[in-house]
Amino acid sequence: MPGGRLTYEDRRKIAEGLAEGLAYAEIARRLERPRSTIGREIARNGGPHGYHAARAQQATGWRARRRPNPPLSTPATAHADERDPLAVREYEQKLTGLMSGGWPPMAARVMVCLLTSDSGNLTVADLTERLRVSPASISKAVGALEQLGLVKRERDNRRERYLIDDEVWYRAWLVGTRSMALWADTIREGVDVLGAQTPASTRLKTASRFFDLLSRDMAQAAEHYRQTFSGPGD
């Protein structure tokens, strides 16, 4: 029976076996490995529903090197080895800084993790490992992202999994569109309150027209996106 560490090819066969619905014992038999080895490998790398060969391969490398600051996200494709971990980490930090200008810092970090993961979905355990923060911090950040319609929750084998999809920016844009419309309506109310011919009301009229214009432009852009990428009726 072969010994030594699992290779990427071994992990790819494990992933294929799980996709086929094979039992751990059958996967172990095909790889000529102990069942306990296969069980530990799957358990520590996402479980039967979240196991990815490339992600498991890279995570194993990180653990072996005991790198103190691994990238926020873990690539999950066969092309993961082509990526420069330092460049990935620097890009993630840059993107996080950009998002932190409008969101709570932890929400920005969670969003970047999801955006830069190939799967587009991560569990609490995944996020706490990558960000090195408490589950409570992750839960609070995800709650903020949920309110914006950016993140969804799914139940995966009794675990909660957070995910984003290709519609994430469309939904975020709609939230912004509604916000601009609310600004326009609220500012317009002040015209009558402050008197129609006063300098203050004139200022509010100009501001209201500005937000009206933004709202209409954003609504048109959202409709263009829907027709271009989703199609009518989707």
Side-chain angles (χ1 to χ4, degrees), residues 52-70:
H52 296 277
R55 185 164 67 188
Q57 181 77 9
Q58 190 163 23
T60 299
W62 287 339
R63 286 191 290 265
R65 291 189 295 271
R66 296 182 180 180
R67 179 177 297 166
N69 293 307

Side-chain angles (χ1 to χ4, degrees), residues 31 42 44 61 67 95 107 141 145 152 163 172 197 233:
L31 292 177
I42 295 171
R44 73 190 306 183
R67 179 177 297 166
L95 187 57
L145 294 171
K152 298 179 182 179
L163 66 152
Q197 303 304 319

Side-chain angles (χ1 to χ4, degrees), residues 13-35:
K13 290 179 179 178
I14 290 173
E16 291 175 350
L18 291 172
E20 294 174 17
L22 300 180
Y24 289 9
E26 177 59 20
I27 296 174
R29 187 189 68 77
R30 293 187 179 187
L31 292 177
E32 297 184 338
R33 298 272 186 167
R35 184 191 180 285

Side-chain angles (χ1 to χ4, degrees), residues 159-172:
R159 297 178 307 173
E160 212 166 52
R161 184 172 291 278
Y162 311 126
L163 66 152
I164 57 175
D165 55 31
D166 292 338
E167 296 289 312
V168 59
W169 300 119
Y170 173 70
R171 291 193 298 273

